[in-house]
Amino acid sequence: MTMLRVRNLTVRFGGIVALDDVSLDLNRGEILGLIGPNGAGKTTLFNCLSGVIRPDRGSVYFETHSLTYAPPHVRAGHGIARTFQNLQLWGSMTVEENLMVPMDALGRRNTFSDALYLPFSSYAEQASAERARAILHVLDLSRYRNTLAGDLPAGIQRRVEIARALAMRPKLLLLDEPAAGLDAQETSRLAELLHAVRDRFHVSMLLVDHDMSLVMRVCDYVYVLDFGKLLARGRPDAIRSDPKVIAAYLGEESKNLPGAVETLAAPARHEPPLLEVKGLAAGYGGLEVIRDVELSVRRGEVVACIGPNGAGKTTTLRAISGMIRARRGHISEDTLRLVSVAAGHEVDITDAFELFPKLRERRRQQVGTLSGGEQQMVALARAILSQPTLVMIDEMSQGLAPTVVRRLFETIRLFREQGIAVLLVEQFVESALDVADRAYVFEHGTIGMSGAAAELRRNRKLVAGSYLGSAADAPAMVAANGNGHRPDPALMEVVSVRVPPKLKRALEQRAESEGRPAGAVVVDLLEKVDQQ
Amino acid sequence: MTEFAAYTIIGLSLGGIFSLAALGIVLIYRTTGVLNFAHGAMGMFSTFVAWQVFYGVSHPFWPAWLATLLAVIAGLTFAAVMGLVLELAVFRWVRTREPVVKAVITIGVLLALQSAASLIWKNNQYHLPLYLAPQTATIQVADVPIGANYIVIVVAALGLAFGLGAFLRYTSFGRAMRAVSDSPTSASLWGVPVNRVSAVSWMLGSLVAALAGILITPFINFDTTSLTLLIIDALAAALIGGLVSLPLTVLGGFLLGLLETYPTIWIQSLGFPRLVSLLVILVVLIVRNPRGFAVAAK
Amino acid sequence: MTSRLAFRILLALVAFAVLARIPVGFDVGFKFDAALAVIWAFGLLSLVLLTGYVGQISLCQATFAGVGAYGAGMMVSSLHADYAVAVIAGVAAAFVLGVLVGLPALRLRGITLAIVTLGIALVFERYVFQDHAFEWFTGGSGGWRIDHATLFGLQMDSSTHLMGAYVVLLGLFLAVALLMVNLHDSGAGRRFRAIRDSEVAATTMGVNLTRYKLLAFGMSAAIAGLGGAFYPLVAGSVSPQPFWLFTSLQFAAIAVLMGVRYVPAAALGGVFMAVVPDVLTRFGHGTFMGHAYEISYDWFQIAVGVLLIVQLIVLPDGVWGDLRSRAARIWSAAAFLGARRVKVA
C-alpha cells in the first residue's frame, strides 16, 4: 500500500531547477533508496518532504493527508521524521534530552504546567524519559545518555540523530547520508541497525547515501536522480546494471592500476624532503589528539594517511597547515612557504575546466551556492591553478558520488604527473592506496605503521578494514569543557587522552583481557569516578 | 515646486551620508564578518576629534580652509588609527567566533565610545557644526539654489562608492579582501594575508565612518547620541544592499534619505524618520528572504 | 525531581528573608537603588529567557519595560486604579508588544533580528515615547509625575513606600526566577532550547516554531514589563529617559557579561546596574594628588563596554557561567581525590 505519494515536484532556486517534475511512491514497510550525483537534488527533495522548503509546483501526499504546504511540525505530527546530513543535533543538550523533545512535542503539553511541575507534566516527563532510555538501549547508546550531544564524535552523533528521529514514533524515516564519514565496518553495522529498526519499530524509510554497499544491501527499491530529474528506478540489482545509471553515477568498476606505483620515476632519495614533520603533538582544549607524529613527503610524491575514524589524521593535517597550533615537535621550515601559495596567480583556467566539465556550466555561479561535490571540485581546481608543490587534501571523498570520487582520485594522479606532491587523508583505504606511493597508518593519535602503498595493499587485513578496527566505539570523550567553550563538533573526532605510562599499560592490559578498545575502558572508569 | 526641490536636495544629501556610513558597515562585514553596531559611534568619536581641532586647536587667524583641512586630516587619521587599534586589540582575537558574538562585542565598543565622548565633550550640548565648503556658498541649478555642502556630500558618497567598488574588483588586494569575506580559513590556507586584510578593512571602514560623521554635522542636532544613532539608518541602507552589494547599498542610502525627508513636508516630527527606517528594514528583510527560514537554516 | 523543586523553593525563601532586610538601615537613596536593582534584574531575566534559553537576540528589552511602566502609570494617574491592577495592565501591554515584535522573529534570526529590535527600540525612544502625536498617553518628552498610589489599598506615597515596593518587587522576582529555573529543565524549556540549538531540527521534530517563538517573545516582554510596571511607583514619575535605547543596549551587554544562560546572573546584573553607578557618583569624587576629580555615570558605561569586550574574549560563558564551571571543577577534583582516598584506605 502506498504510504507516501509525491507527484510532479518542482523546486527552483533562482535560475537553477533543483527538482524537475519528480514523482515517487513509497510503500508501507519499505526501505527506499535515493541515489544520484552530487547536486542532483536529493537533499532538496528531503527538504520538500519534511517541509523545510516549499515546492514551486507539485504535491506531497502522506497516507490520506495532503502535506504539500504543511509546516514541518505538522508533518512531524503525521509521523514523518528525518535526520540531517550536516548533523543538526541540539548540541548543548544531553542525548536523553535530545530524544525527549520530539516525544513531548507531540503530546499536548502545556508550558505553564511544565514550569510548575504539575503532576500531569511530571507523569508525562517520566514516561518520556523511560521511552528515551529504551530507544537508546536498542541503538546501543545508553552510555552517552547524559553526555552533551555536541561533545560526541561525529559517528556517534549520526546514530543519535537516528535515535532522535525514532523518538518521534515515526511512520516514515528520512535518512540523509547516515553513512557519511563511517568506515567499512561501521557502515555494515549501520545496515544491520537499519534492518533492526524497521523490524522493531515498523518504520518505512527513505535513504539517501553515496555508499553503494549500504544502499544495495539495505534498500528494497532504488530511485536515481540526476540534474533534478528522475533518471531510473528499480530493484537494487537492476539499478546496478542499468547503463544509464552507470554512465551518470556509478561509473565503470575501477580497474586497479597496480602498475601505477612502479611506473613512477623514483624520486631522488637524496633530495631533502619537501615536508618533514618530527615529534608533532597537537590537540584541542585540554586534550592531546596526536603525539609523536613523524612523517615526510618528497617532491612529486603522493602520500596517504589512513586509519580509523578519530585516529588523528585530520588533526595532523590541521597542525601542519597551521590551522591549529602544534604543541610540540618540528615542521620543516620549507613547508610554511609551500603552503602559502601566492594568491591572485594568473593561470590558464581551461585546464581545470577540462578536468571538471561540470564547472564550465557553473562558472558564473557563486561558489557558495554549489552543491557539496561541486565545491570540492572547485577546491581541487583552485589547487591546480595555483601550481603548488604540495597539496594537502582532507577527506575529499566524503559525501560524494562514486563517479565524482573516481574522478577526484584521477585528479590526484594528474597532480603527481605534474610533479605536485600530495598529502592525502582518506577514509576509502583501497582507493587511497591505489593512488599513493607511500602511506602512513594512524592509530590512536600516532603513526602505527608505514610503508610503500603497494606493500600495505597486500596486507589484506588492513584493506578489508578489520585491522582498522572500530575506533568510533572508543569514545575517549572526556572533553574539558570547564570554561564553557565548546569545540566545533566536526573537530571533535575520537581522541586519545594522554595518561601516565604506568596507568596506560595497566589500561591496555585490561582492554586486552576484556577484548575492548582502551578508550571504552577509560570511559567506564571515569563514569565510575563520577558516580562515587 | 521649489519647496519640493529643496526637500529633494536635503533628502539626497542625507541619503549621501547614509550611503557613506553604510559603505563602511558593508566593507567591514564582508571582509571580517563583524556587523559593526559601533560604526556610528566610531564616526562620532572621530568627528569630535576633528571638531576639537577646528574649534580648539587651530588659531583664529588661520584661514578657514587651512583650519578645515587640518581638522579633517586629524579626524581621518584618528579614525584610521582607531580602526587599526580595534582590530588588533579586539576583533583579531574573536575571528572564529559566531557572528552574533562579534556583533555583541561591537555593542560594548559602542557603549564605551559613546560614554567616553559624552565625558569629554558633554552630551546634550549644542556644538557648532563643521563645514567643508563655505557655509553660504550656493550653486544655482535652474532656479533652485543648492548649498555647496550638499553637493560635497553627494559627490563624496558617489565617488567613494565607485572607488571602493573598483578597488575591490580590480586590485589584487581587493580580490584578497573578497576571498577573505568568502572563507577566512581557506583564504589563509591559500596564502591570503588575512590579518592585513582585516586590519585594512577596519581602517578603511572607520575612515569612511569618520567622513560621514564630519559631513553630516551641519544637518543634524550635532551631539554625541545623534551621531551614534546614525547606525540605524546606515544599517537600513546596508540591508538594502544585502550587506554585500556596494552599488545597491549606495542606492539604498539615497532612497532612504528621500523617504525620510519627504514626510517632513507634512509631519513635523523628530522621531518619524526613525519609523521610516524601521519600516524600510522590515520590508527589505521580508522581501529579501521570501523562503523564510529555509534559506537562513543553511 | 520534586526534592529538587523543594530545595529551590527553600533557597528562594531564604534568599527572600535575607535580601528583604539588606536595605533597611540605609538611606533613601540606597533604598531606591535596591528597588531599581530588582527592576533592572527583571529586564535581565527577560533576556535570560529570550536569549539564554531560546537563542533570540533582542536589543529592545528596555522598550518592553518602558511599555510596562507607561501602561501602569497611565492606569494609576488617569483611572486611579489600584497599583496591582496597574501592574497587570502594564504587563499585559508589554506581552502584546512582545508578541508583535516576535512576528518578524519568525522569519529572522541572529544579526538581522538584532537590527530590527534596535530599530524598534529607537522608534519607541524617539517617536512613541516623545512625539506629540502620542502626548495624550506619554506626556511627551517630560513624561508625567505620579504623586500617590495605593497597592491593595495600602497608601504608597512619600519616601517610606520604597521599602514596601522593594519587598513586593523582590518577592515577585524570586517567584518568577524560580519559575524560570524550573522552566529550563521542563519539557517546554527543552523545546525552547531546541529552538536555540537548531531551529530546523526543532521544527522537523515537531516543535511548533510560530507558537513557541511568539510565546518566548511575549513571556520575555511580560517579565521585562513586570519590572518596568513598578518603575512609576518607585521613581514617582514616568519619562522616556530610563527606557531609552542605551538602557536596552546595557541590558544586552550586562546580561551577556554576567552569563546570559543563568538565572542568578540576572540578579547579579541588576545589582551591578543599579548600585555601582550610584556608589561611583556618591563616593567617586574628591582630590587625588592635588587634582580634583569626579567620577560620573559615563565612567560606569565605559566600564560596562570594556568589561563586555574583555569578557567575550576571555570568558565566553559570562561571569556567572565561569564561576559555576570553576566551582564544578573544584567539586569534581575534590570528589576524585576523595575517591582515591577511599581506594587507598
Side-chain angles (χ1 to χ4, degrees):
Chain A
M1 167 198 170
T2 311
M3 184 182 215
L4 176 76
R5 193 195 307 267
V6 175
R7 287 291 171 267
N8 311 99
L9 216 54
T10 302
V11 175
R12 287 187 199 88
F13 293 115
I16 300 159
V17 184
L19 276 184
D20 189 4
D21 212 24
V22 171
S23 300
L24 176 149
D25 289 287
L26 184 146
N27 295 325
R28 191 180 299 284
E30 193 173 45
I31 301 185
L32 198 66
L34 187 60
I35 59 174
N38 302 101
K42 303 183 297 293
T43 299
T44 308
L45 180 61
F46 261 44
N47 283 340
C48 276
L49 292 182
S50 60
V52 177
I53 58 174
R54 287 185 179 175
D56 293 304
R57 215 159 50 76
S59 49
V60 177
Y61 299 96
F62 184 68
E63 297 187 321
T64 54
H65 314 280
S66 165
L67 293 184
T68 315
Y69 298 110
H73 66 267
V74 171
R75 300 177 196 228
H78 286 304
I80 300 180
R82 75 172 285 187
T83 67
F84 293 87
Q85 180 188 355
N86 54 342
L87 297 175
Q88 292 276 353
L89 287 178
W90 300 303
S92 65
M93 295 161 69
T94 66
V95 168
E96 188 182 54
E97 284 181 315
N98 265 279
L99 263 67
M100 284 172 78
V101 171
M103 281 184 207
D104 42 42
L106 293 178
R108 296 260 167 266
R109 296 280 295 270
N110 179 298
T111 312
F112 296 99
S113 82
D114 279 1
L116 289 168
Y117 285 124
L118 292 183
F120 168 72
S121 284
S122 299
Y123 175 74
E125 187 88 0
Q126 273 169 18
S128 295
E130 230 150 77
R131 276 201 59 214
R133 251 165 262 165
I135 291 172
L136 288 176
H137 181 76
V138 172
L139 295 195
D140 195 19
L141 290 164
S142 296
R143 72 185 109 160
Y144 308 111
R145 188 159 65 87
N146 292 319
T147 317
L148 295 186
D151 290 349
L152 291 169
I156 310 266
Q157 284 199 27
R158 288 211 183 274
R159 233 154 68 206
V160 178
E161 281 248 358
I162 296 175
R164 180 178 68 177
L166 287 176
M168 238 179 62
R169 280 182 214 255
K171 296 172 190 155
L172 172 64
L173 186 54
L174 310 172
L175 296 163
D176 199 351
E177 300 210 16
L182 301 187
D183 62 31
Q185 205 178 3
E186 288 167 330
T187 306
S188 79
R189 215 164 333 134
L190 178 72
E192 285 162 24
L193 177 76
L194 291 182
H195 275 140
V197 163
R198 167 165 67 172
D199 299 340
R200 289 182 78 143
F201 297 93
H202 308 288
V203 183
S204 319
M205 293 180 211
L206 183 59
L207 170 79
V208 164
D209 212 288
H210 284 307
D211 192 322
M212 291 314 290
S213 68
L214 180 73
V215 174
M216 293 300 162
R217 201 171 143 188
V218 169
C219 296
D220 305 313
Y221 204 76
V222 177
Y223 279 74
V224 186
L225 282 181
D226 192 23
F227 288 111
K229 282 200 182 89
L230 200 62
L231 183 72
R233 57 187 184 138
R235 304 242 156 242
D237 36 350
I239 287 294
R240 208 206 297 259
S241 51
D242 186 326
K244 274 190 298 184
V245 180
I246 290 174
Y249 180 61
L250 296 173
E252 297 296 329
E253 283 298 315
S254 89
K255 297 182 273 298
N256 276 356
L257 300 167
V261 180
E262 279 78 10
T263 53
L264 180 80
R269 295 288 160 191
H270 56 269
E271 200 182 313
L274 208 54
L275 167 72
E276 187 154 39
V277 174
K278 281 194 175 130
L280 182 71
Y284 310 101
L287 289 165
E288 194 152 279
V289 182
I290 53 167
R291 62 192 180 280
D292 306 329
V293 170
E294 317 239 333
L295 56 83
S296 62
V297 182
R298 289 196 177 74
R299 196 169 293 277
E301 188 181 39
V302 177
V303 176
C305 297
I306 54 179
N309 252 332
K313 310 179 296 283
T314 295
T315 309
T316 306
L317 230 60
R318 281 174 201 258
I320 294 173
S321 64
M323 284 165 75
I324 61 170
R325 199 182 318 177
R327 296 196 173 163
R328 279 188 311 284
H330 183 74
I331 301 168
S332 61
E333 269 301 300
D334 242 17
T335 328
L336 299 176
R337 259 182 298 123
L338 295 173
V339 176
S340 28
V341 178
H345 225 76
E346 299 296 333
V347 193
D348 189 10
I349 203 162
T350 44
D351 268 3
F353 283 148
E354 249 159 55
L355 257 168
F356 305 115
K358 212 165 175 184
L359 288 186
R360 193 191 296 275
E361 298 155 25
R362 306 254 157 126
R363 67 173 176 263
R364 293 269 170 251
Q365 205 176 330
Q366 273 187 7
V367 175
T369 60
L370 295 172
S371 75
E374 289 162 344
Q375 291 193 17
Q376 206 75 282
M377 292 185 218
V378 173
L380 280 182
R382 200 164 54 170
I384 298 177
L385 291 182
S386 56
Q387 301 183 325
T389 43
L390 170 68
V391 175
M392 301 197 281
I393 304 169
D394 186 12
E395 300 276 5
M396 75 176 172
S397 60
Q398 183 166 334
L400 296 187
T403 38
V404 181
V405 172
R406 201 154 298 139
R407 209 170 322 138
L408 290 175
F409 275 113
E410 274 156 25
T411 317
I412 288 174
R413 255 187 213 119
L414 192 99
F415 276 27
R416 190 172 54 185
E417 279 161 22
Q418 300 194 346
I420 301 170
V422 176
L423 183 60
L424 179 73
V425 162
E426 190 48 62
Q427 203 71 250
F428 288 165
V429 175
E430 199 157 3
S431 319
L433 291 179
D434 272 352
V435 295
D437 301 308
R438 288 188 302 117
Y440 293 95
V441 183
F442 277 71
E443 268 178 85
H444 304 299
T446 192
I447 292 173
M449 203 197 288
S450 65
E455 246 166 66
L456 288 173
R457 207 170 25 203
R458 260 171 248 134
N459 184 342
R460 292 311 306 170
K461 264 168 91 184
L462 181 68
V463 176
S466 53
Y467 171 79
L468 292 176
S470 48
D473 265 356
M477 289 307 311
V478 265
N481 268 330
N483 56 2
H485 172 71
R486 237 163 238 119
D488 175 3
L491 300 182
M492 294 302 294
E493 293 160 350
V494 180
V495 288
S496 51
V497 191
R498 201 164 170 77
V499 287
K502 224 180 189 174
L503 181 58
K504 190 179 169 191
R505 230 169 296 138
L507 281 174
E508 277 167 357
Q509 277 166 10
R510 185 154 167 192
E512 208 168 336
S513 68
E514 290 177 15
R516 294 194 298 165
V521 176
V522 174
V523 167
D524 275 4
L525 287 178
L526 284 169
E527 274 170 2
K528 265 176 208 152
V529 170
D530 259 4
Q531 284 158 11
Q532 275 167 16
Chain B
M1 191 59 222
T2 40
E3 189 198 31
F4 186 76
Y7 275 102
T8 307
I9 292 160
I10 293 175
L12 283 178
S13 47
L14 200 62
I17 307 264
F18 294 162
S19 311
L20 274 178
L23 279 178
I25 290 178
V26 172
L27 186 71
I28 292 177
Y29 182 73
R30 275 186 62 173
T31 49
T32 65
V34 180
L35 189 71
N36 187 11
F37 283 99
H39 201 70
M42 288 166 66
M44 176 272 297
F45 209 92
S46 311
T47 304
F48 269 97
V49 169
W51 180 89
Q52 187 73 40
V53 169
F54 189 82
Y55 288 102
V57 177
S58 63
H59 201 277
F61 299 121
W62 291 358
W65 65 266
L66 183 64
T68 313
L69 189 67
L70 272 182
V72 170
I73 288 173
L76 294 186
T77 313
F78 180 84
V81 172
M82 176 167 61
L84 182 64
V85 167
L86 277 177
E87 205 280 329
L88 291 178
V90 179
F91 292 101
R92 179 158 295 186
W93 307 102
V94 292
R95 194 170 289 154
T96 54
R97 307 279 289 276
E98 312 93 276
V100 170
V101 172
K102 298 190 224 178
V104 173
I105 290 182
T106 66
I107 290 176
V109 175
L110 185 159
L111 288 175
L113 281 178
Q114 160 70 23
S115 304
S118 100
L119 200 65
I120 302 170
W121 291 290
K122 299 286 172 280
N123 195 15
N124 299 328
Q125 190 174 317
Y126 180 69
H127 297 89
L128 286 168
L130 290 163
Y131 295 98
L132 287 198
Q135 191 180 348
T136 49
T138 55
I139 290 165
Q140 199 80 15
V141 175
D143 49 350
V144 185
I146 302 173
N149 277 295
Y150 295 97
I151 293 173
V152 169
I153 289 175
V154 175
V155 169
L158 290 177
L160 257 172
F162 281 113
L164 272 180
F167 173 71
L168 287 179
R169 186 164 286 272
Y170 299 115
T171 66
S172 65
F173 197 79
R175 261 201 301 273
M177 287 172 98
R178 278 161 54 207
V180 171
S181 74
D182 280 347
S183 161
T185 339
S186 83
S188 76
L189 287 178
W190 289 102
V192 174
V194 176
N195 284 343
R196 213 182 321 152
V197 163
S198 71
V200 168
S201 321
W202 274 100
M203 288 167 72
L204 266 181
S206 175
L207 209 86
V208 180
L211 198 62
I214 291 171
L215 286 170
I216 204 182
T217 57
F219 302 101
I220 56 162
N221 200 0
F222 177 35
D223 60 18
T224 52
T225 36
S226 354
L227 271 180
T228 301
L229 298 184
L230 190 62
I231 182 72
I232 197 72
D233 304 299
L235 283 172
L239 281 178
I240 292 176
L243 293 172
V244 184
S245 154
L246 295 183
L248 275 182
T249 300
V250 173
L251 203 67
F254 281 112
L255 193 72
L256 187 68
L258 291 175
L259 278 178
E260 287 191 11
T261 310
Y262 286 136
T264 55
I265 301 179
W266 306 284
I267 302 171
Q268 296 296 317
S269 163
L270 281 174
F272 193 76
R274 303 287 82 76
L275 188 62
V276 173
S277 49
L278 176 66
L279 290 177
V280 167
I281 288 174
L282 283 174
V283 168
V284 166
L285 283 177
I286 285 164
V287 170
R288 271 201 165 258
N289 194 1
R291 267 179 210 265
F293 91 122
V295 177
K298 251 192 147 180
Chain C
M1 196 55 88
T2 41
S3 71
R4 196 155 51 157
L5 183 61
F7 173 73
R8 283 171 186 166
I9 291 173
L10 190 71
L11 201 68
L13 287 176
V14 170
F16 181 73
V18 174
L19 291 175
R21 286 173 178 279
I22 285 183
V24 167
F26 290 96
D27 61 19
V28 177
F30 267 122
K31 283 178 180 153
F32 178 73
D33 287 350
L36 200 61
V38 187
I39 290 176
W40 294 153
F42 269 111
L44 297 169
L45 190 65
S46 71
L47 273 174
V48 171
L49 172 65
L50 192 63
T51 308
Y53 289 6
V54 198
Q56 308 296 306
I57 313 285
S58 163
L59 295 179
C60 64
Q61 292 306 104
T63 306
F64 296 140
V67 168
Y70 274 100
M74 175 87 174
M75 290 295 282
V76 171
S77 68
S78 351
L79 303 177
H80 303 290
D82 187 89
Y83 210 87
V85 180
V87 167
I88 292 169
V91 170
F95 182 85
V96 171
L97 181 66
V99 171
L100 289 178
V101 172
L103 286 175
L106 296 177
R107 283 284 186 91
L108 310 173
R109 69 176 67 197
I111 287 172
T112 46
L113 190 56
I115 296 175
V116 169
T117 51
L118 183 82
I120 287 166
L122 208 55
V123 164
F124 268 81
E125 176 200 325
R126 288 286 153 120
Y127 189 56
V128 179
F129 288 162
Q130 295 201 22
D131 199 83
H132 45 71
F134 300 94
E135 214 165 292
W136 54 272
F137 178 64
T138 61
S141 54
W144 21 253
R145 293 194 53 75
I146 288 163
D147 292 323
H148 53 82
T150 51
L151 179 58
F152 304 127
L154 206 78
Q155 278 294 330
M156 289 201 160
D157 37 24
S158 76
S159 61
T160 52
H161 75 280
L162 275 176
M163 255 334 264
Y166 169 69
V167 171
V168 172
L169 269 169
L170 185 66
L172 280 174
F173 178 79
L174 288 171
V176 175
L178 191 69
L179 277 179
M180 291 278 299
V181 174
N182 280 347
L183 181 68
H184 183 271
D185 300 331
S186 74
R190 280 195 300 267
R191 278 173 300 240
F192 280 145
R193 286 182 287 144
I195 293 175
R196 173 187 73 195
D197 284 2
S198 165
E199 257 179 46
V200 66
T203 175
T204 48
M205 292 295 144
V207 177
N208 184 340
L209 274 191
T210 310
R211 186 166 143 202
Y212 279 93
K213 271 190 168 180
L214 291 184
L215 187 66
F217 267 91
M219 277 166 63
S220 169
I223 292 173
L226 178 59
F230 278 90
Y231 188 86
L233 181 68
V234 170
S237 66
V238 192
S239 61
Q241 214 265 340
F243 308 110
W244 68 336
L245 175 70
F246 285 99
T247 313
S248 285
L249 293 182
Q250 273 194 17
F251 274 154
I254 293 176
V256 173
L257 175 63
M258 293 299 169
V260 77
R261 293 193 177 184
Y262 307 100
V263 169
L268 203 66
V271 174
F272 178 71
M273 204 168 155
V275 178
V276 173
D278 192 39
V279 170
L280 277 181
T281 43
R282 270 198 213 203
F283 303 108
H285 55 82
T287 49
F288 180 71
M289 291 171 65
H291 294 281
Y293 68 90
E294 195 186 330
I295 295 178
S296 68
Y297 182 76
D298 287 322
W299 281 103
F300 171 70
Q301 199 167 296
I302 295 179
V304 169
V306 173
L307 284 175
L308 176 71
I309 296 167
V310 173
Q311 173 256 323
L312 279 172
I313 296 174
V314 297
L315 309 173
D317 210 16
V319 172
W320 187 267
D322 187 60
L323 288 176
R324 225 176 94 111
S325 61
R326 265 169 214 275
R329 232 176 302 161
I330 291 168
W331 185 250
S332 67
F336 184 69
L337 288 178
R340 267 167 56 133
R341 193 160 307 145
V342 169
K343 224 176 259 172
V344 171

